[in-house]
């Protein structure tokens, strides 16, 4: 019998088998068991009874641009991980670009880990980057514990992270398939982007026309073909075009090793509501029409979309100029992903079990984090305690992000995060955050 030091009790605990009254027993940071609600508290253990508040598995956000070191005026490990803790997220996986250096060699990975170590309020993992000239670095990065590799197929927005053409993609995929690694892909086809009308404009409609669905659809079809041919594991980042759901579903059914994520902004915001000049809504691929959003929710309901993650990609305010063509592309939402998605999910008849699957279990599986993503014996005692019925209005002043520009300002959302627990310790108590206690993670598989 293990030594249980904490029992977390609620009438609503979200487990992989459903939501039920339960007492979650914790031993040394690990979940020892999910006991009946009525189970006694062992001698020496502390009871934390959260009443009717819901206990969710801590969220895993596998798509965060921390930008540290190098562009820390945009974001940093201190502020990003505080925002995560405040938002019920217990693990983030950092994207390899926008920091200087980018995570494209083992040496650069070590630089980033050294910067993150003392600042991590939640657990932090790292994606590597696949560039045209770093195929030789991919296996060493894999051996060093990165969760997979990100590549672009069209310009990334920063010069130090160039995109791959189809031939370079094939070379990188072949190398990665050799050690059963994972390639995660920003899938927009450069030829379709070049053919679309590109002009300086404050009108959202002009921006939307400049990033057509066809660019996504074509890039994803090419990726499916390459993954099939090379037997490689691939993941489509930030899916916006719902047209691609059908080919992705067909590829999955056929046995192609492909997964896909979407993001809170695609699932809760629509092109129709974006005011001209409001470049806090700019991201690539773009937020599309309401009908597209309905189809993405169908993709979630059908299980075609595997996870929902933030793609938190902030910048300083001066880069969010009113001209959509030149403004920095990236939406800042790390702290708000859970309430944003829950608000829309409940409206569409989904439960918190679904949210836990999309925002915790799914991203944990993607990143190969076996100890994360569920309330069950043997996993880390990571929890988000929320009042799902309570609402709040987003006030940027209440955000922990370094830059508080957000597309969600003024929105009233359901789901107030009351507490966040990381490996059995409360790191967020009603918005009061503790000192950093996050670990740097490495891929388990
Ligand atoms: Zn991104």
């Amino acid at each position: 019998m293990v030594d249980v030091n904490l029992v977390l009790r609620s009438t609503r605990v979200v487990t992989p088998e459903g939501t039920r009254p339960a007492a979650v027993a914790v031993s040394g940071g690990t979940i020892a068991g999910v006991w009946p609600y009525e189970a006694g508290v062992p001698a020496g253990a502390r009871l934390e009874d959260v009443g009717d508040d819901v206990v969710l598995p801590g969220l895993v956000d596998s798509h965060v641009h921390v930008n540290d070191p190098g562009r820390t005026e945009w974001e940093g490990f201190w502020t990003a991980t505080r925002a995560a803790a405040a938002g019920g997220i217990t693990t983030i996986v950092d994207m390899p670009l926008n920091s200087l250096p980018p995570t494209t060699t083992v040496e650069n990975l070590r630089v980033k880990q050294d910067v993150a170590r003392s600042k991590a309020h939640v657990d932090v993992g790292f994606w590597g980057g696949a560039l045209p000239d770093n195929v030789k670095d991919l296996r060493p990065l894999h051996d060093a514990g990165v969760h997979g590799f990100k590549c672009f197929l069209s310009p990334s927005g920063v010069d130090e992270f160039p995109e791959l053409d189809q031939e370079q993609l094939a070379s990188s995929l072949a190398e990665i398939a050799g050690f059963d690694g994972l390639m995660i892909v920003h899938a927009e086809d450069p030829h379709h982007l070049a053919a679309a009308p590109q002009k300086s404009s404050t009108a959202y409609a002009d921006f939307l026309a400049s990033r057509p669905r066809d660019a996504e659809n074509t890039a994803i079809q090419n990726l499916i073909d390459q993954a099939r041919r090379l037997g490689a594991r691939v993941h489509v980042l930030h899916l916006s075009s719902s047209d691609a759901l059908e080919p992705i579903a067909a590829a999955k059914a056929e046995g192609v090793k492909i997964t896909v994520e979407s993001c809170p902004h695609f699932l809760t915001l629509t092109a129709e509501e974006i005011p001209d000049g409001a470049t806090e809504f700019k991201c690539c691929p773009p937020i599309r029409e309401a009908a597209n959003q309905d189809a993405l929710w169908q993709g979630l309901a059908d299980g075609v979309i595997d996870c929902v993650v933030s793609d938190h990609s902030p910048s300083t305010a001066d880069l969010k100029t009113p001209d959509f063509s030149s403004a920095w592309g990236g939406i800042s939402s790390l702290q708000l992903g859970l309430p944003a998605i829950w608000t829309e999910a409940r409206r569409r008849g989904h439960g918190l079990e679904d949210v836990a699957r999309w925002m915790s279990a799914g991203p944990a599986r993607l990143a190969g984090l076996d100890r994360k993503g569920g309330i069950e014996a043997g996993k880390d005692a990571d929890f988000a305690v929320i009042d799902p019925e309570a609402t709040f209005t987003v006030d940027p002043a209440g955000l922990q992000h370094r830059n508080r520009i957000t597309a969600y300002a003024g929105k009233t959302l359901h789901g107030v995060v009351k507490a966040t627990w990381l490996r059995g310790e409360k790191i967020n108590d009603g918005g009061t955050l503790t000192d950093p206690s996050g670990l740097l993670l490495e891929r388990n598989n």
Side-chain angles (χ1 to χ4, degrees), residues 87-274:
I89 297 160
T90 49
T91 303
I92 64 169
V93 189
D94 173 56
M95 279 293 166
L97 74 156
N98 300 345
S99 60
L100 296 167
T103 320
T104 48
T105 65
V106 171
E107 193 185 347
N108 292 357
L109 171 68
R110 297 304 177 216
V111 170
K112 296 199 68 169
Q113 287 173 324
D114 285 345
V115 168
R117 192 165 284 114
S118 62
K119 299 178 184 169
H121 292 75
V122 299
D123 288 354
V124 178
F126 296 86
W127 296 110
L131 303 184
D133 63 357
N134 81 332
V135 174
K136 66 179 188 326
D137 294 298
L138 301 179
R139 187 183 283 268
L141 275 165
H142 176 80
D143 292 341
V146 298
H147 298 271
F149 301 91
K150 179 178 194 179
C151 72
F152 281 74
L153 305 177
S154 53
S156 72
V158 293
D159 294 339
E160 69 277 6
F161 205 95
E163 72 274 23
L164 306 182
D165 63 24
Q166 288 297 314
E167 214 168 295
Q168 291 160 340
L169 175 65
S171 305
S172 297
L173 281 178
E175 173 73 8
I176 291 170
F179 48 79
D180 194 30
L182 171 68
M183 181 75 102
I184 64 175
V185 181
H186 180 121
E188 285 183 290
D189 179 74
H191 309 293
H192 283 77
L193 294 180
Q198 308 287 342
K199 62 174 171 184
S200 269
S201 173
T202 58
Y204 189 76
D206 288 333
F207 172 61
L208 188 54
S210 77
R211 314 289 301 202
R213 289 161 179 259
D214 269 357
E216 278 191 88
N217 303 341
T218 301
I220 291 169
Q221 188 57 58
N222 289 340
L223 183 64
I224 290 170
D225 294 343
Q226 296 249 35
R228 179 194 294 114
R229 188 167 62 81
L230 296 164
R233 285 200 297 136
V234 300
H235 175 73
V236 177
L237 297 162
H238 46 51
L239 178 72
S240 175
S241 169
S242 59
D243 302 345
L245 287 166
E246 212 177 287
I248 291 170
K252 284 182 167 190
E254 183 200 323
V256 176
K257 292 180 249 177
I258 185 167
T259 52
V260 57
E261 69 186 33
S262 192
C263 307
H265 38 274
F266 300 134
L267 294 161
T268 70
L269 305 171
T270 60
E272 289 88 339
E273 71 182 286
I274 300 178

